[in-house]
Structure formats: C-alpha cells, structure tokens
C-alpha cells in the first residue's frame, strides 16, 4: 500500500507558548535521505532566540513547580492520548526525515516514544522522597526530610537517529519533575521534535514550559549549554560534541548519552541461531545507525566458520530500499557526513586487508549490508564508532581474550554476549565495562524501566524511568529537630 505524502511542511519554533519565526528571519530546508524530496522548512534560530526561550522557561518553571503532582500526571496522560491519535502521521514524517523504514518509524513512536508520557506520569507519583529519623545517637529528635526538587530549566539537545524517542525521555520526565524544557533537535530531523512540542502544547502544559528551537548545533545547542539560565543539559549525540558541551557548560547538571562501539561476543557454547539473529538486529537495524549497535562481532575460534556462514546467508535476505515501502528492511543512511565516515571505515578495512564476505558497495546514501572478516584491533571500525550497516568480525581463543578485546575501545555503552554457561555469563557480565551487558540478547535491546547509559566515553549519568527523574531533580535534605518545636 502506497503512503500518501503531505505537501511540504512549513513549521515555526515554539517560544513562550507562541509559534514564531527566528529573530534572524532565516529558514532552512530539510530533505528526505530516501529520495532527496523536500519535506519542508524550519527557522534557523540564533543565540538570541535561545535567550528568549530561556527567559520564558524560567517563568514557566515557577508555574510548573507549583502544579500538583496529580495535575502534572493528568497532562502527561493527555499528551499520551494526543500522541497515539497522531502516531501514524508522525511515523511517516519520522520515516522520511531519518530514512529509517516505516516499520522502524512506527516502532519508535508507538513502542518507545509514546510510553514515556505514561512512564513519566507514573514515575512521578512514586518519586516523592523519604522521612527518616536521624541515625545519630545524640540527635534522636531530629527528622530528616529527603525531597526531590525540580532542577529548573533543562536544555535537551538531541540526535537524528531517534528524533522522537530520545528527546521525549528527557522532555516527559523533565516536565514530570517540575522543570521547564527547551528542546534543540538535530538539523536533519527537526519535524519529529516539533511534533513533540505540538503534543505537549495541545495537552495544556503552561506556556513556556516546552520550547523547541531549530538551527545549528554550534549556535543554538552551544548557547543552551553555555547560558547560565539552563540548570541541566540532557545531551545525546557524538562523544566529541559531548566533550565540547562539557567544556562550555560550567557548573550545571550534565546528562550525556554518547557514542558506542558495542561488542557482541559469541562463545564456543553459544546458541548460534540466536546469536546470528542478534547480530542481524545489532548490525543492520536502522542501517546500523544506533548508539547501541553491534559494532564489533567477537567470535570464538571454534565457532567462527559456522557463525560466519550463517550470518552471510541470513544477511543476504535483507531488502534494502525505499524506507516508505512496507517490505523494506533497511533504508539509506541519514546524511552525507555519516555516509563519508562509514565509507572511510570501509576504505580503511580494505587497505588493511580485511576480507569482504558480503557488500561493501553503496549508491548515494544507500549502503549494502556489509560483513568484513579478519578485522583486528588496528582497524578504524574496531577502534571507532562506524554508525553504518557493517558487521566487523574479530576472533578470540579464550574468555580472558574476549573480555580484553571487548574492553579495548574508549566506549562502554551496551555489550552483548552469547553463551550457554551460567558461569561464563556472569564472568562476561562482570568483566565487560559497559553500562549494560546483555547475555543471550542483541546489543540493540533496552528495557524502558531499567537504567540506560554508558561508561567511559559513552556517557555520564543514567536515563529512563526513576534514573532520569533522579538526574533532573535536586535532592534536598531538610532536618527538623522536633524537640524544639512548640508541643
Ligand atoms: P551530533 O553530536 O552531531 O549532534 C547531536 C546534537 O548536538 C544535534 O542536535 C546537534 O545539532 C547538536 N550539536 C552539534 N554541535 C554542537 C555544539 N557544538 N554544541 C551544542 N550542540 C551541538 O550527533 P548526531 O550525529 O546527531 O547523532 C549520532 C551520534 O549520537 C552517534 O555518535 C550516536 O552513537 C549518538 N547517540 C547516542 C545515544 C545514546 O543514548 N548513548 C543515542 C543515540 C545516538
């Protein structure tokens, strides 16, 4: 069934509850990576626009902080209803601007982004604090109230690969916690973020509590990070961008979700059929453009040949093509800069003598699913995040060697391993330095109510559910000596 496309969108930005143009008056075009067609135009915001949004957000936050928990939860539930009602239209726009397949786009909206409204509404009710008696022998009359206060204004700087789900984690939980939020999406995918702002506005959040500003990262994103009016930055993107934000942000809460180079370890006692399926999802879901992707496949010598034969056969079944076609398994890469990086990694692998078992070619932004054998630690794809549809195969002979290889990159987001031994599962789980280690599961898996985040250069802090509520609040202790109050 063909999907009917809307005419080109012309959206404004949301500042202080009003949809407005940038003070610059400039706009920029957004084109589909699938076929180059115009999706629409959005304002090119400036640092001045950021300052206006911050001023509105500071006022709105005072209103939000006084709003009852029940009312905030009701608004989030209403936002969920609105988001579900418009999910199919939003999925089509998301599919077109990212280049992910329509099935992946629906998955992002319905399975990942929309549940955040509810998780935030319900999490908020649990996240209320504690009253404890003092633990000190000489202070038994003291009561310690431990509360979570809103942190203030939260800047949310988000990437293009999950343009609805990722920002909505911080926006929903940020609002739930009583903060106002300013969202700055990636420039190739602004419409999914604008859709999120429309949803919150229609739900009835106070004017200024959610703003959305489109425009260049080094201008709009950097001003959000640098401006003392923002109290926290929730950034998701490349490690080098996260490092530049850290350098300018000054003293404020930083929640950083950055790049990965996830290992998928397959031991000699693994269920190979399951491990191959895990590699297919890990390497080729969203054409490999996922922070949690299987960026390195580490195979025990004993199962290397069988695994590789199975992986090649299974990968040949993947259909690459128009992301709007319901039958497509893999669409194009999102943008030229990312395609150039993937190409550089493929060229480097060729120059170093890697064996291309499948793929290696490309046509514009469409890259073939590629399997490269004989990869060693000096290859670019072993050291850095490739962010493309590539399965680099590396080998090991022992458990210790597998753990050493898994840990040899500066990243530590999600590691995965397949084994049928519980002892090996524990040793891998404890030995791999990643925020999450998944045993007998693909790297591209996460639970919406479990902590998510990276170690080393992959991140700082944890998101999802109660963990992001903790990141976006200040913990306060109020100590009261009840022996001194009037009886
Ligand atoms: P990016 O770092 O290029 O951009 C991310 C955001 O930062 C965009 O909104 C961009 O406009 C903005 N930005 C760019 N320069 C900036 C600057 N100087 N100051 C402030 N903001 C700036 O990343 P991307 O290419 O959009 O996304 C891909 C990257 O994101 C990959 O490395 C991927 O691993 C990572 N990612 C991580 C996670 C995670 O949860 N760990 C999730 C998704 C993506």
């Amino acid at each position: 069934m063909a999907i009917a496309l809307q005419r080109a969108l012309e959206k404004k930005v949301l500042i202080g509850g009003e949809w407005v143009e940038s003070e610059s008056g400039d706009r920029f075009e957004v084109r589909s990576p699938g076929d180059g067609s115009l999706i629409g135009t959005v304002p090119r915001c400036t640092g001045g626009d950021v300052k206006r949004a911050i001023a509105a957000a500071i006022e709105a936050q005072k209103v939000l902080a006084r709003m009852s928990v029940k009312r905030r939860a009701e608004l989030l539930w209403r936002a969920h209803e609105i988001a579900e009602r418009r999910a199919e239209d939003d999925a089509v726009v998301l599919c077109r601007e990212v280049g992910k397949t329509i099935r992946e786009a629906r998955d992002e909206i319905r399975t990942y982004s929309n549940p955040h409204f509810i998780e935030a509404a319900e999490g908020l009710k649990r996240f209320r604090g504690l009253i404890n008696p003092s633990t000190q022998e000489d202070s038994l009359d003291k009561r310690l109230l431990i509360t979570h206060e809103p942190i203030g204004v939260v800047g949310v700087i988000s990437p293009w690969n999950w343009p609805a789900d990722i920002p909505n984690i911080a926006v929903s939980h940020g609002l739930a916690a009583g903060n106002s939020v300013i969202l700055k999406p990636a420039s190739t995918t602004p419409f999914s973020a604008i859709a999120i702002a429309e949803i919150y506005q229609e739900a009835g959040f106070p004017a200024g509590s959610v703003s959305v500003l489109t425009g260049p990262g080094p201008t709009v994103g950097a001003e959000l990070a640098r401006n003392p009016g923002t109290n926290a930055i929730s950034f998701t993107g490349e490690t080098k961008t996260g490092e530049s934000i850290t350098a300018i942000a000054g003293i404020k809460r930083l929640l950083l979700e950055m790049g990965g180079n996830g290992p998928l370890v397959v031991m000699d006692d693994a269920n190979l059929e399951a491990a191959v399926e895990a590699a297919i999802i890990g390497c080729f879901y969203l054409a490999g453009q996922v922070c949690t992707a299987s960026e390195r496949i580490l195979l025990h010598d004993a199962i290397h040949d069988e695994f590789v034969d199975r992986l090649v056969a299974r990968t040949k079944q993947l259909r690459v093509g128009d992301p709007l076609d319901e039958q497509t398994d893999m669409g194009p890469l999102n943008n030229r800069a990312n395609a150039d990086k993937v190409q550089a990694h493929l060229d480097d692998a060729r120059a170093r003598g890697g064996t291309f078992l499948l793929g290696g070619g490309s046509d514009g932004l469409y890259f073939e699913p590629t399997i490269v054998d004989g990869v060693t630690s000096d290859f670019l794809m072993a050291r850095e995040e490739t962010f493309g549809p590539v399965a680099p195969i590396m080998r090991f002979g022992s458990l210790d060697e597998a753990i050493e290889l898994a840990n040899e990159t500066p990243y530590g987001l999600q590691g995965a391993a397949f084994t049928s031994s519980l002892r090996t599962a524990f040793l891998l789980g404890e030995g791999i330095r990643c925020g999450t280690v998944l045993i007998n599961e693909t790297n591209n898996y996460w639970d919406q109510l479990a902590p998510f985040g990276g170690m080393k250069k992959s991140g700082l802090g944890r998101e999802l559910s109660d963990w992001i509520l903790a990141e976006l609040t200040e913990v306060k202790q109020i100590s009261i000596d009840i022996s001194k109050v009037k009886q």
Side-chain angles (χ1 to χ4, degrees), residues 335-342 365:
N335 59 73
R336 194 64 251 166
N338 196 47
D340 287 346
K341 181 164 71 145
V342 175
L365 293 175

Side-chain angles (χ1 to χ4, degrees), residues 94 100 108-109 112-114 116 156-173 181 183-185 192-193 196 200 234-237 255 257-258 286 289-292 387 413 446 448 452 463-464 468 472:
L94 193 152
K100 66 172 65 176
E108 174 166 353
I109 301 261
Y112 295 100
S113 183
N114 288 358
H116 295 313
V156 180
I157 304 175
S158 58
W160 47 261
N161 62 340
W162 293 77
D165 168 51
I166 285 178
N168 202 28
I169 300 171
V171 177
S172 59
H173 291 83
V181 184
L183 170 54
K184 149 54 188 129
S192 297
I196 287 174
Y200 284 105
S234 168
F235 166 78
T236 309
L255 177 55
E257 300 289 351
M258 303 182 289
L286 180 46
Q289 301 166 113
V290 190
C291 54
T292 54
F387 228 51
L413 189 54
W446 53 92
Q448 298 273 91
F452 178 92
E463 12 177 79
L464 294 176
I468 190 162
L472 299 182

Side-chain angles (χ1 to χ4, degrees), residues 425-471:
F426 268 101
L427 294 177
L428 285 162
E430 290 159 4
I432 296 176
R433 292 269 302 152
C434 285
T436 304
V437 180
L438 301 134
I439 305 294
N440 296 333
E441 179 55 273
T442 175
N443 296 71
N444 272 339
Y445 173 85
W446 53 92
D447 186 297
Q448 298 273 91
L449 296 182
F452 178 92
M455 293 185 181
K456 304 195 284 186
K457 286 198 169 200
S458 287
L460 198 62
R462 293 291 178 269
E463 12 177 79
L464 294 176
S465 190
D466 290 0
W467 287 273
I468 190 162
L469 286 172
E471 300 283 353

Side-chain angles (χ1 to χ4, degrees), residues 91 136 179 195 252 332 381 409:
Q136 307 294 116
N179 303 297
K252 63 181 68 168
M381 55 181 64
T409 81

